[in-house]
Amino acid sequence: MSSAARGWVERYRQWAFDVAAVAIAALDVWLRVVPEAETYNYVLSAVAVVAVALRRRFPFLVVLITAPGFLAGWAQLAAMIALGTLARRRLLSTQTFIGAGLVWFSRFFTWPPSEFVELDWKTHVHNAIYGCLVAGMPIAIGLLAHAREELSARIAELAASRERERMLHSHAVRADERARLAREMHDVVSHQVSLIAMQAGALRMAAEDPNARRVAGTIRTLSTRTLDELRQLVSVLRTTSGDDSPQPRVEDLPQLVATAGFPISLAVHGEVASLPAPVSGAVYRTVQEALTNVRKHAAGAPTGVLVVVDRDELRAEIRNDPPHHRQETGTLPGGGHGLMGLRERAALLNGDFAAAPTEDGGYLVRVTFPVTRSLDT
């Protein structure tokens, strides 16, 4: 059942209870009416019955209105229903004690006062005892209803918590399975890339054509770099087995830029040594992935990398110019998940990620992270 449907059901249920409360209070008055009563007895009793319909919005005021109808009329159940609602809404507050005192006095005191004076002391004691019951029972029922609501809310919260726990457990199981598959993939891919590197090295030594030797050297260099990247990525997945290799940080960007193979300008402003490790590593991976995309789709295009660290924010931008010419060898293969992974990484660190073409035909990657520096740095 949807939340809107539950809301309508709850609203109709409350409306039905209000109608039943007014009907019971009216029946109580009608069954106790005496012919020789005064006009004000009827008026006070009728007002008390009508006021019961407003007990949810004005619980204390309704108790004040129904008390005279109980004292000088026949609206006993109306006053008790109002007091029960007050106890349910206000619990054991000052208003509840005042309402209980009024209901008790209405049951203890006999109207008109001349009849009250004529009663003996035993009747007064009897009325006082029954007044405690008449005032105490609605309060007990109201507190019990409130406790039931609190218990229902706690049970619903516990059920939601268990559902969240189940979802987290399933996410953890999937994460472990993905980590296992990633480690297996690393073993398979590293083996194949190692073979490629070995074959490229042999081709470089055996080839007589300078261009063939140059291409073979490039293949060997890329294969070696790919192996290094795989080892760095999988080292994160193996932290449970004691592999806590240091991860690249913003300070390692100059080395990354120097080995990129195309013109890149790097500018870093601000203190980066004290950055949190997750943020610093995320910036490095963002720049690395952006440069990889430049190499794939705009080879040779001048690229600028800007990292600015303020007091509470880090901003990194990677902007490349449009390529001077298109490569005829085709684009390098890619899974299409690089930018998606960067966006997810930024979201995990409460950062913002954006990537879009520029007006001059280039491309811009921008990421911002909130910075909370640790006290031990």
Side-chain angles (χ1 to χ4, degrees), residues 107-108 120-133:
R107 177 61 181 82
F108 170 74
D120 59 359
W121 67 272
K122 293 182 180 180
T123 305
H124 290 316
V125 173
H126 183 270
N127 291 337
I129 294 174
Y130 272 87
C132 293
L133 294 177

Side-chain angles (χ1 to χ4, degrees), residues 174-250:
R174 287 197 296 268
D176 291 340
E177 182 65 17
R178 289 172 181 172
R180 184 183 65 81
L181 293 176
R183 288 190 290 267
E184 293 179 358
M185 182 186 66
H186 166 264
D187 296 337
V188 174
V189 174
S190 61
H191 174 71
Q192 301 296 334
V193 175
S194 298
L195 292 179
I196 294 174
M198 292 176 59
Q199 296 294 331
L203 177 62
R204 182 181 180 184
M205 297 297 296
E208 298 180 357
D209 187 359
N211 291 330
R213 289 197 300 269
R214 180 176 58 80
V215 171
T218 302
I219 294 175
R220 180 177 176 82
T221 301
L222 293 176
S223 301
T224 304
R225 185 180 302 169
T226 300
L227 285 175
D228 293 337
E229 292 295 334
L230 282 174
R231 294 190 183 97
Q232 291 181 4
L233 291 175
V234 176
S235 65
V236 178
L237 302 176
R238 291 178 173 173
T239 54
T240 56
S241 59
D243 186 6
D244 295 330
S245 304
Q247 299 302 309
R249 297 174 57 91
V250 176

Side-chain angles (χ1 to χ4, degrees), residues 102-371:
L102 292 175
V103 173
W104 176 87
F105 181 77
S106 299
R107 177 61 181 82
F108 170 74
F109 192 85
T110 303
W111 191 268
S114 58
E115 294 184 6
F116 177 78
V117 174
E118 295 175 357
L119 297 175
D120 59 359
W121 67 272
K122 293 182 180 180
T123 305
H124 290 316
V125 173
H126 183 270
N127 291 337
I129 294 174
Y130 272 87
C132 293
L133 294 177
V134 170
M137 185 172 60
I139 294 178
I141 295 176
L143 294 178
L144 181 62
H146 178 80
R148 181 180 178 278
E149 290 179 353
E150 290 290 330
L151 181 60
S152 300
R154 295 293 183 272
I155 292 175
E157 183 179 354
L158 179 61
S161 177
R162 293 184 62 182
E163 180 65 19
R164 289 194 298 268
E165 182 180 355
R166 186 190 64 79
M167 293 180 60
L168 291 176
H169 176 70
S170 63
H171 289 332
V173 171
R174 287 197 296 268
D176 291 340
E177 182 65 17
R178 289 172 181 172
R180 184 183 65 81
L181 293 176
R183 288 190 290 267
E184 293 179 358
M185 182 186 66
H186 166 264
D187 296 337
V188 174
V189 174
S190 61
H191 174 71
Q192 301 296 334
V193 175
S194 298
L195 292 179
I196 294 174
M198 292 176 59
Q199 296 294 331
L203 177 62
R204 182 181 180 184
M205 297 297 296
E208 298 180 357
D209 187 359
N211 291 330
R213 289 197 300 269
R214 180 176 58 80
V215 171
T218 302
I219 294 175
R220 180 177 176 82
T221 301
L222 293 176
S223 301
T224 304
R225 185 180 302 169
T226 300
L227 285 175
D228 293 337
E229 292 295 334
L230 282 174
R231 294 190 183 97
Q232 291 181 4
L233 291 175
V234 176
S235 65
V236 178
L237 302 176
R238 291 178 173 173
T239 54
T240 56
S241 59
D243 186 6
D244 295 330
S245 304
Q247 299 302 309
R249 297 174 57 91
V250 176
E251 296 92 318
D252 301 320
L253 286 179
Q255 181 180 0
L256 176 66
V257 170
T259 59
F262 57 95
I264 301 175
S265 62
L266 173 64
V268 179
H269 303 286
E271 179 62 34
V272 298
S274 60
L275 289 174
V279 173
S280 186
V283 173
Y284 181 91
R285 292 304 181 190
T286 301
V287 175
Q288 183 183 45
E289 179 65 23
L291 296 182
T292 300
N293 290 337
V294 172
R295 189 183 297 112
K296 288 181 180 180
H297 307 292
T303 304
V305 178
L306 174 64
V307 179
V308 179
V309 182
D310 296 330
R311 186 175 63 177
D312 55 358
E313 185 183 74
L314 182 147
R315 185 177 76 258
E317 293 183 358
I318 304 93
R319 182 191 301 266
N320 65 274
D321 295 340
H324 298 300
H325 59 277
R326 296 290 180 181
Q327 288 184 319
E328 298 179 356
T329 56
T331 58
L332 295 175
H337 302 292
L339 296 181
M340 184 183 302
L342 295 180
R343 191 182 306 276
E344 293 177 352
R345 184 193 293 264
L348 290 175
L349 297 175
N350 297 324
D352 294 325
F353 178 85
T358 59
E359 296 181 355
D360 58 357
Y363 206 82
L364 172 64
V365 175
R366 178 186 293 112
V367 63
T368 60
F369 295 102
V371 176

